[in-house]
Amino acid sequence: MPESGLRQRLEENVRAVRQRMELACQRAQRPVSAVRLVAVTKYAQPAWMRELFSLGELDWGENRPQQLASRAGEFPETVRWHLIGTLQRNKAQLAARHAAVVHSVDSVRLLETLEKQAATCQRTLPVLLEVNISGEAQKHGFTPAELLAVAGAAPATPHLSIEGLMTMAPHSDLPEESRGVFRGLRELRDRLREQVPAWPLRDLSMGMSGDFEVAIEEGATLVRVGSALWEGLEALSPHSLNK
Ligand SMILES: *Cc1c(COP(=O)(O)O)cnc(C)c1O
């Protein structure tokens, strides 16, 4: 039966990812509970997501606020939705209403807009500040220098909790090549912590399918994993056209 084949393959993928996470935690002498798996669902079919839900994986990442909002309405409220993609200020309201965490705050103006929207929703919204550690021109995020400057003069954001930092490493087939970027994010977090004691800065969101082990070794608390979870599922999904 195609459905059970799908479930079995997904279960294997999840187990493999969890095992890679555990081994990385062991190498880094960190407890397994220190790292959360955010399953990136941006390319996942709803049928795959229903299986993932039944496997008990409840942290899900979406890139687009519209898709996050519409999918949040289709799945149980126990799912924690992480917005990981670029957020335009005119979509901040969707994020403030539906996201459990926003990983991609890349400007002071966005921080201010999210503060207003979170206040309107009468909630405290956890956010991460996105940092462009690698310095690539096409990447979003604060530069480290900007962030250190901003931190000294940050607007009051009583409805936001600045939980940490997020970064994307440059694309590479060699996971080791991401290590410097991940270490840079951790060191920046450590400096910011001294500078702004009001910001909790517990989280480091870094590492994707190809390099999350290296990220864990460098202190990641949230790894954003998509393709490694969905490998092989397309071939087992005969109804992919009418998702
Ligand atoms: C798509 C995406 C991921 C997941 O990437 P994979 O290589 O599929 O694991 C992680 N973070 C962000 C911001 C993404 O857009």
Side-chain angles (χ1 to χ4, degrees):
M1 255 177 63
E3 286 303 316
S4 70
L6 182 72
R7 184 184 170 85
Q8 191 183 349
R9 180 63 199 255
L10 181 62
E11 214 169 351
E12 284 166 12
N13 290 353
V14 170
R15 201 181 309 127
V17 167
R18 288 277 178 197
Q19 191 165 31
R20 285 170 61 188
M21 289 174 65
E22 264 179 57
L23 289 172
C25 284
Q26 278 172 22
R27 281 195 299 278
Q29 302 190 313
R30 302 179 59 202
V32 176
S33 60
V35 187
R36 256 197 295 166
L37 172 61
V38 177
V40 176
T41 48
K42 65 184 175 205
Y43 299 134
Q45 297 177 18
W48 308 352
M49 295 164 72
R50 287 191 288 274
E51 294 293 352
L52 188 70
F53 181 83
S54 75
L55 292 173
E57 295 293 342
L58 297 179
D59 283 281
W60 294 2
E62 283 285 342
N63 266 52
R64 293 173 48 240
Q66 302 95 313
Q67 181 157 313
L68 185 153
S70 70
R71 287 182 154 184
E74 292 163 12
F75 287 91
E77 286 183 6
T78 43
V79 172
R80 290 177 294 272
W81 294 92
H82 298 244
L83 181 67
I84 61 173
T86 307
L87 177 59
Q88 309 287 339
R89 279 183 301 132
N90 62 7
K91 302 282 172 10
Q93 186 184 14
L94 286 177
R97 283 175 60 179
H98 300 285
V101 191
V102 176
H103 290 226
S104 43
V105 177
D106 58 3
S107 72
V108 173
R109 291 175 78 196
L110 178 57
L111 204 60
E112 289 168 341
T113 307
L114 281 171
E115 164 61 27
K116 283 200 197 95
Q117 296 294 349
T120 306
C121 296
Q122 299 185 304
R123 68 175 291 201
T124 303
L125 177 67
V127 302
L128 310 180
L129 304 175
E130 182 170 355
V131 190
N132 181 357
I133 295 280
S134 64
E136 287 172 288
Q138 72 274 22
K139 282 240 187 329
H140 287 263
F142 295 94
T143 66
E146 269 168 6
L147 192 53
L148 288 163
V150 161
T157 51
H159 296 88
L160 303 180
S161 175
I162 318 272
E163 297 282 329
L165 305 180
M166 180 270 231
T167 200
M168 308 251 294
H171 179 77
S172 163
D173 291 331
L174 300 173
E176 262 322 304
E177 290 190 346
S178 305
R179 190 179 295 277
V181 166
F182 297 153
R183 184 172 296 169
L185 193 72
R186 167 165 48 84
E187 289 171 354
L188 179 63
R189 190 272 309 270
D190 294 345
R191 285 183 67 183
L192 279 174
R193 252 188 186 157
E194 291 176 11
Q195 215 172 309
V196 202
W199 290 355
L201 297 176
R202 288 171 232 163
D203 283 322
L204 291 174
S205 168
M206 54 191 197
M208 317 201 316
S209 291
D211 57 14
F212 67 78
E213 288 112 319
V214 174
I216 289 172
E217 289 168 15
E218 294 299 330
T221 64
L222 295 162
V223 291
R224 309 180 308 267
V225 179
S227 46
L229 292 173
W230 313 121
E231 255 168 36
L233 297 188
E234 190 80 53
L236 298 166
S237 305
H239 306 300
S240 28
L241 290 181
N242 47 7
K243 35 178 135 172

